[in-house]
Amino acid sequence: MLDRLFSSPLAVGTPAPDFTLPDDSGRSVKLSALRGRSVVLVFYPGDDTPGCTKQLCQFRDDWAEARQLGVEVFGVNPQSAQKHQKFRNKFHFPFPLLVDKGQKVAEMYKADGLIVRRTVYLVGPDGRIRFARRGMPNPSEVLEAAK
C-alpha cells in the first residue's frame, strides 16, 4: 500500500496504456485513435478546486502553443460529465475533460489514490510516454517534450 502511495509515474519511454473514456460532452476518447499526435494527460484531483483550477488554466493560457505543436490536451479525473462541463465552461477550457469513473485509467497511469494524484504525461505520436511528472509542471516544459 505505501509503495503505491509513493510510487513514481510511468517511466519515460514506456508504451502509454490504451484507454477509452467519455469526455464532458459524452463523446468517447480512445488514446490509440490519437496515434500520430502528441497527447497531454493531466490527472487532477478535483474540478473547481484552487490547485486544479490553476493547473488547467495554465494549459488553457498556453493553448496557442499546444495547437501550434499539434498537441491534444485532456484533463482526467473521476468526477461526472456534468461537473466537468460546468468547470470547463466556467473557466473556458478549450480542451475536453475526461470522466475516469472508478479511477481505472488513473490506476493504469499510477495516478490513483484516495484522491487522484496530480500527474502530467505527454504521450508522443508513437504512443510512448515522453514526459511524466507529479505535481504542476509548467505547461511549456511539458510541451517541450512534444518538439
Side-chain angles (χ1 to χ4, degrees):
M1 172 69 180
L2 278 180
D3 44 319
R4 185 79 177 153
L5 185 63
F6 296 107
S7 68
S8 297
L10 296 174
V12 170
T14 61
D18 194 23
F19 63 83
T20 302
L21 287 176
D23 71 9
D24 55 282
S25 300
R27 290 184 289 259
S28 285
V29 173
K30 184 171 178 63
L31 182 64
S32 59
L34 298 170
R35 279 278 162 81
R37 292 180 254 173
S38 292
V39 176
V40 170
L41 300 173
V42 181
F43 290 91
Y44 66 101
D47 293 341
D48 219 359
T49 59
C52 300
T53 298
K54 179 181 178 184
Q55 183 174 32
L56 292 174
C57 284
Q58 288 175 330
F59 276 97
R60 177 201 63 202
D61 296 346
D62 284 2
W63 186 244
E65 183 182 358
R67 295 298 347 142
Q68 191 174 28
L69 294 169
V71 175
E72 302 288 335
V73 176
F74 298 95
V76 187
N77 90 8
Q79 291 181 293
S80 72
Q82 290 170 316
K83 283 190 176 187
H84 280 346
Q85 202 167 54
K86 187 176 176 185
F87 181 46
R88 185 177 175 198
N89 290 339
K90 180 177 180 180
F91 291 99
H92 309 287
F93 298 136
F95 47 84
L97 303 178
L98 304 180
V99 179
D100 183 19
K101 191 173 181 175
Q103 295 189 46
K104 290 177 176 46
V105 174
E107 183 178 358
M108 294 182 335
Y109 281 82
K110 295 186 176 183
D112 61 318
L114 289 175
I115 60 169
V116 173
R117 289 186 289 162
R118 191 180 308 283
T119 311
V120 179
Y121 288 97
L122 185 132
V123 178
D126 60 354
R128 293 191 173 274
I129 295 170
R130 290 191 178 181
F131 182 95
R133 184 155 324 140
R134 298 263 190 250
M136 293 175 52
N138 190 297
S140 61
E141 186 181 358
V142 178
L143 294 173
E144 184 67 30
K147 295 178 182 174

